[in-house]
Amino acid sequence: MNPINVKGTHDILFADAPYYQYVRNIFSEVASLYGYSYIEPPTLEYTDVFIHSTGESSDIVRKEMYTFDDKGGRSVTMRPEFTAGVIRAMVSNKLYATHDLPLKAYYFGPAYRYERPQLGRYRQFIQAGIEAVGADSAFLDAEAVLFAVSALGIMGFKGLKVKVNSLGGKESRAAYRAALTDFFKDKIDDMCEDCHTRLELNPLRILDCKVPHDQEIAKGAPTLDKYLTEEDKARFEKILFYLNQMNVSYEVDTSLVRGLDYYGGLVFEVHGSTSKGEDLGALLGGGHYDGLLSQFGGPEDIDHGVGFAMGVERLIALLKDQGLELPESDIDCYLMPMGEDTFEACFVLAQDLRMAGFKVDMPYKAAKLGSYFKKAEKRGAKVALIAGENELKNDSIQVKNLATQEQREVKLSELLRTLDDLLSEDEPEHHCGCGGHHHEDGHCCCEDDHHHEEGQQCCCHHHEE
Ligand code: ATP
Ligand code: MG
């Protein structure tokens, strides 16, 4: 059989894993700073979950879903996004009855869309995102943008563009829809098939069309800001005021609509491009929504939410492009059994060291000392432990600092302390598990942040004091 992966999917291999962990760790830590708890709805939902919430006019529902009948004849869908499943889970489990409002949830995991694979676009990709549900507040809307911007800042991104817009409430959108229908009706013959359907189902979607010719036509369309009610305008201005207060740089883009039907009020996206100028599309998108809880039979009086989702592959592509280098998982010590008879003792010693918190590996069959050292180097080991028969008989071992090449014999009873000394010397004073690239002069990029106590703790929490 040909070992081919499904079109549009990709393997996350050893060298990529640290980047996924990096994004996930920072995202989780930022979530806990903002008081969000982890939620993980299943990958599979009944198809209705997405049709009614993501929206019949959205590209996702119209052509991107992996939908099939299970063996019991039920139509199920691999989640194309998380919001619908998260809200469904909140209602199924009546979380609003047992928890304080707003319910603040974050998630991380794969989503599936049948799209044409290209740069930054896959059929299975990972999304990290948040939903804050059950309260209606400009603070909460602004907080979603702040969360996104802070998480990206801590990840170390530079030069990103934040775009915001307001879609207004139902009344504003109805007036705007009518204006758009009017504008496009005599131009639609010249536009793509999808836009024909969009004009019927939801003319706002036309503004999201990716066909260049259609985008040109749409440039002349009326913008939504002129149709916002006074109330909607005031709400948007409040959000912008809070963002200004927090020094968030953004641009108001009146042509920004989002691909999902449930948005109303604030919408936002963050964009980035590579150093070669390749547009990676939106790194994340989100906004405010009303009416999703009641779609699933949840309470109407608290039926508001705000959230965003970021595309983790796009983030990682840009992090690498911006020069973040994370090593493939390295080890502290490479244990070198000298001769067949020392293997069993080494096997036991490796276990003891691992349980004491050291990252240790060893060969599983005998080889020459030179090849052991090559392996140690490849694995990023800082210390070599050379276990000769005579030393072991003497309850000791040779410890070699691979950076300085200093070597000495150490009693096994002293080994843990010796390793502690050697390995902590090797660490920068404020070592952070996110790879350390953002440490400048031993400081972490987030050093100014309130969550550092006496300069010790990074939000990504892997500082060893
Ligand atoms: P786009 O306009 O690029 O198609 P979208 O509006 O469909 O994006 P959302 O549904 O808002 O995207 O999803 C949030 C984020 O998930 C996007 O900003 C993007 O970073 C990421 N994303 C969406 N689709 C894909 C995909 N097929 N492959 C990789 N990442 C994706
Ligand atoms: Mg899309």
Side-chain angles (χ1 to χ4, degrees), residues 263-312:
Y263 286 110
L266 172 74
V267 286
F268 62 99
E269 284 184 354
V270 176
H271 288 252
S273 48
T274 66
S275 48
K276 289 191 214 117
E278 296 154 315
D279 184 8
L280 282 170
L283 296 175
L284 66 88
H288 178 99
Y289 47 85
D290 300 299
L292 269 189
L293 281 176
S294 49
Q295 291 262 6
F296 296 104
E300 276 174 29
D301 55 332
I302 57 160
D303 202 354
H304 311 281
V306 58
F308 70 78
M310 37 174 110
V312 175

Side-chain angles (χ1 to χ4, degrees), residues 390-426:
N390 287 339
E391 282 92 344
L392 288 181
K393 268 191 203 128
N394 202 15
D395 282 329
S396 61
I397 195 163
Q398 293 286 338
V399 176
K400 182 166 187 176
N401 178 337
L402 292 172
T404 62
Q405 299 293 310
E406 279 167 76
Q407 181 173 330
R408 63 194 159 98
E409 190 168 328
V410 171
K411 281 279 172 206
L412 288 177
S413 56
E414 289 296 310
L415 184 57
L416 291 183
R417 192 167 324 145
T418 308
L419 289 179
D420 259 338
D421 289 347
L422 275 176
L423 292 164
S424 62
E425 262 171 37
D426 198 67

Side-chain angles (χ1 to χ4, degrees), residues 35-36 99-105 131-136 140 143 304:
Y36 285 71
H99 288 70
D100 255 356
L101 297 180
L103 298 168
K104 291 166 103 177
E131 310 294 344
V133 177
D136 190 16
L140 210 50
E143 190 178 277
H304 311 281

Side-chain angles (χ1 to χ4, degrees), residues 188-357:
I188 198 72
D189 287 345
D190 209 18
M191 301 177 76
C192 76
E193 273 311 306
D194 281 338
C195 280
H196 284 79
T197 321
R198 290 176 182 130
L199 186 64
E200 295 280 309
L201 291 175
N202 184 356
L204 258 80
R205 295 279 78 81
I206 297 179
L207 304 180
D208 216 16
C209 181
K210 305 266 186 316
V211 178
H213 175 69
D214 293 8
Q215 286 179 339
E216 243 350 273
I217 296 178
K219 271 187 189 155
T223 54
L224 207 157
D225 45 323
K226 318 245 171 3
Y227 296 84
L228 291 181
T229 61
E230 286 308 312
E231 197 187 336
D232 288 340
K233 268 188 210 155
R235 168 69 167 252
F236 190 42
E237 270 156 25
K238 247 191 202 171
I239 297 169
L240 298 184
F241 176 75
Y242 300 146
L243 295 180
N244 291 338
Q245 269 192 323
M246 305 287 167
N247 291 324
V248 175
S249 322
Y250 60 83
E251 131 198 353
V252 176
D253 179 349
T254 52
S255 67
L256 179 66
V257 294
R258 302 273 313 123
L260 310 178
D261 276 3
Y262 46 67
Y263 286 110
L266 172 74
V267 286
F268 62 99
E269 284 184 354
V270 176
H271 288 252
S273 48
T274 66
S275 48
K276 289 191 214 117
E278 296 154 315
D279 184 8
L280 282 170
L283 296 175
L284 66 88
H288 178 99
Y289 47 85
D290 300 299
L292 269 189
L293 281 176
S294 49
Q295 291 262 6
F296 296 104
E300 276 174 29
D301 55 332
I302 57 160
D303 202 354
H304 311 281
V306 58
F308 70 78
M310 37 174 110
V312 175
E313 282 80 1
R314 292 186 193 181
L315 293 181
I316 291 175
L318 197 59
L319 281 170
K320 286 185 179 171
D321 183 73
Q322 296 196 345
L324 173 65
E325 281 177 31
L326 297 178
E328 201 172 306
S329 65
D330 51 3
I331 55 174
D332 297 322
C333 313
Y334 197 72
L335 182 51
M336 306 177 173
M338 302 306 292
E340 293 291 349
D341 294 345
T342 62
F343 264 79
E344 278 179 21
C346 285
F347 194 61
V348 173
L349 180 58
Q351 172 68 5
D352 289 345
L353 293 174
R354 288 165 179 161
M355 291 305 104

Side-chain angles (χ1 to χ4, degrees), residues 60 113 115 120-122 125 127 210 258 282-285 309-311 314:
I60 291 181
R113 296 184 192 177
E115 297 201 72
R121 200 172 288 284
Y122 300 93
F125 58 100
Q127 285 195 329
K210 305 266 186 316
R258 302 273 313 123
L283 296 175
L284 66 88
M310 37 174 110
R314 292 186 193 181

Side-chain angles (χ1 to χ4, degrees), residues 365-376:
K365 65 176 195 222
K368 295 213 170 79
L369 191 59
S371 91
Y372 286 163
F373 275 105
K374 277 194 193 129
K375 283 182 199 235

